[in-house]
Amino acid sequence: MDSIMHKIKHRVFEIIQTAADDDKASKIFDIFIITLIMLNVVLVIADTFTLPYYIKYISRRLEVFSIIIFTIEYILRLWTSDMLYPQYGKFVSRVRYIFSFMALIDLFAILPFYAPLLIPIDLRALRILRMIRLLRIFKVSRYTNALSVVTSVLKNKSNQLISSVFVVALLMLISSVIMYNIENPAQPDVFINAFSGLWWAIATFTTVGYGDIYPITACGKVLSSVIALLGIGLVAVPTGIISAGFMEQIEQEKEEHTENKEKHFCPYCGERLD
């Protein structure tokens, strides 16, 4: 009996994980979940429109169906978590899974439905909770390497990114305080405090320039010009770091693909190795 349950559990684990090339059942499961996620995103957007009653009725039924499927998926992933973390015991592997990023996304995806059933909550808070349903789109990252590549690049370049962001933030703080001291006497109702200067600094550094707050004194205009020119270069630094990270990631994947290909084919005759 234990052997049969173990086989069933192992097969369930194979199906709910990202599909292997030759596993049709797992591929069908992946396509079904991705389709359901996209449908739910459409429903969240549709909720912002004034819709006829029958469409709202269908939307609600689809929401309930989705919650049932996502809940079953979450339970199955929790049940098979010891196969995901074979180096740990059942309890530890379940705890590790519960607090993993994707498990938290799975939980938050179904939380807005169950929250009103568990605790009394007013309609305004319920509306905010229902917005959390948009997090379901992050579940797609389980079936595609797009977000994993982004995460890998940010992780590899974290030191450079933190350094560049720190420099930009430091200059923003300094310029906001200087601008406040320059402009406050001339327009005290606009540059009320340093936070007003910080809002100006952010808009100027990022070259957005909303125009709701700007200097009118000569010194303020000179400082604003300098900050705008610095912003063009400094704000582009993190973008350059991320771009370089993506190029390195692409080259690394190419090298790994070439190495894997060489392992499976004879370097002399080119025949596939068994």
Side-chain angles (χ1 to χ4, degrees):
M1 187 65 181
D2 291 340
S3 176
I4 295 173
M5 283 301 299
H6 181 76
K7 288 180 180 179
I8 293 173
K9 188 175 184 179
H10 186 264
R11 183 56 186 146
V12 169
F13 175 75
E14 288 178 339
I15 292 173
I16 64 178
Q17 294 302 309
T18 305
D21 293 336
D22 57 345
D23 196 334
K24 291 184 178 179
S26 185
K27 283 186 176 180
I28 292 171
F29 175 81
D30 291 355
I31 294 170
F32 173 68
I33 293 295
I34 291 172
T35 304
L36 202 59
I37 292 167
M38 293 306 177
L39 178 61
N40 273 260
V41 173
V42 172
L43 292 178
V44 173
I45 296 171
D47 282 348
T48 63
F49 293 86
T50 302
L51 301 172
Y53 173 77
Y54 72 93
I55 295 181
K56 288 185 177 181
Y57 177 82
I58 295 172
S59 174
R60 184 59 179 168
R61 291 296 175 270
L62 288 172
E63 170 71 9
V64 173
F65 174 74
S66 301
I67 288 297
I68 293 171
I69 297 299
F70 290 146
T71 303
I72 293 172
E73 181 200 9
Y74 182 80
I75 293 171
L76 289 176
R77 291 187 183 280
L78 186 61
W79 179 47
T80 59
S81 58
D82 56 325
M83 293 187 172
L84 185 63
Y85 303 105
Q87 68 273 32
Y88 301 104
K90 288 186 177 181
F91 176 78
V92 176
S93 60
R94 282 173 172 76
V95 171
R96 285 185 66 87
Y97 173 74
I98 288 171
F99 290 100
S100 65
F101 174 75
M102 287 309 305
L104 290 173
I105 292 296
D106 290 341
L107 181 61
F108 290 142
I110 61 177
L111 184 64
F113 181 83
Y114 293 111
L117 304 177
L118 301 174
I119 55 175
I121 192 168
D122 63 19
L123 293 176
R124 287 174 299 175
L126 178 60
R127 187 178 181 87
I128 294 171
L129 274 177
R130 288 179 66 80
M131 289 172 60
I132 300 176
R133 292 183 299 164
L134 280 172
L135 290 175
R136 290 173 192 170
I137 198 168
F138 286 103
K139 288 164 64 67
V140 178
S141 65
R142 183 180 279 124
Y143 310 102
T144 176
N145 66 345
L147 284 179
S148 63
V149 170
V150 174
T151 304
S152 178
V153 170
L154 292 177
K155 184 177 179 180
N156 293 336
K157 296 294 181 180
S158 59
N159 291 334
Q160 295 94 320
L161 284 171
I162 291 171
S163 299
S164 61
V165 170
F166 176 76
V167 171
V168 172
L170 188 63
L171 286 174
M172 282 185 180
L173 287 172
I174 294 172
S175 60
S176 65
V177 174
I178 294 173
M179 184 60 76
Y180 163 74
N181 285 285
I182 293 173
E183 290 294 322
N184 178 258
Q187 42 180 340
D189 55 331
V190 177
F191 285 86
I192 303 170
N193 49 44
F195 286 107
S196 301
L198 183 60
W199 171 246
W200 162 84
I202 292 171
T204 305
F205 257 98
T206 56
T207 67
V208 174
Y210 289 111
D212 57 334
I213 178 170
Y214 54 87
I216 59 174
T217 65
C219 289
K221 290 179 179 179
V222 171
L223 177 61
S224 184
S225 300
V226 173
I227 294 301
L229 291 173
L230 285 174
I232 294 172
L234 289 176
V235 175
V237 171
T239 306
I241 292 172
I242 294 173
S243 299
F246 274 113
M247 294 302 296
E248 291 176 7
Q249 186 73 16
I250 291 170
E251 290 298 323
Q252 184 179 344
E253 289 180 358
K254 283 183 179 179
E255 290 177 2
E256 291 177 355
H257 179 72
T258 303
E259 289 177 1
N260 291 333
K261 191 174 181 180
E262 290 175 352
K263 288 179 182 178
H264 293 88
F265 291 90
C266 178
Y268 304 103
C269 64
E271 291 292 328
R272 185 176 180 86
L273 301 174
D274 295 329

